Amino acid sequence: ALAVAPDDPATLRDRALARLALGDRPGAAADLDRAEPLDPGHTRVWFMRAEVRARAGDRAAAGRDREEGLKRTPGDEPSWVTR
């Protein structure tokens, strides 16, 4: 899907989840870093990236991402639940 639409934020988020499940934290973080500016109103990216950073041991960056996600109004149901 990314070959056809390399800037699709939903596909980047999905791949980030798959990469995280496979233990590829750097790859997951890269996908989320790329997805965030493409769809800045989608708060789930912030919470997902906080999880990736927390698993990598970067608690400060995880906290900043979580705080940023909480500042934004969720535009999707999973983000409301994550809050």
Side-chain angles (χ1 to χ4, degrees):
L2 284 169
V4 175
D7 291 329
D8 180 48
T11 305
L12 288 165
R13 287 190 304 269
D14 290 345
R15 186 170 71 176
L17 283 174
R19 285 179 162 177
L20 185 58
L22 294 171
D24 179 9
R25 287 187 301 267
D31 283 343
L32 295 168
D33 288 345
R34 203 164 134 214
E36 187 275 320
L38 298 171
D39 189 8
H42 201 288
T43 59
R44 196 160 132 205
V45 169
W46 296 97
F47 298 125
M48 290 171 64
R49 195 166 60 185
E51 177 66 23
V52 170
R53 289 179 170 173
R55 288 187 189 190
D58 191 347
R59 301 253 180 242
R64 286 191 301 272
D65 278 347
R66 181 135 180 85
E67 287 300 315
E68 187 62 38
L70 289 170
K71 288 179 190 175
R72 298 167 184 261
T73 301
D76 63 301
E77 186 177 319
S79 291
W80 280 106
V81 172
T82 303
R83 295 170 77 93

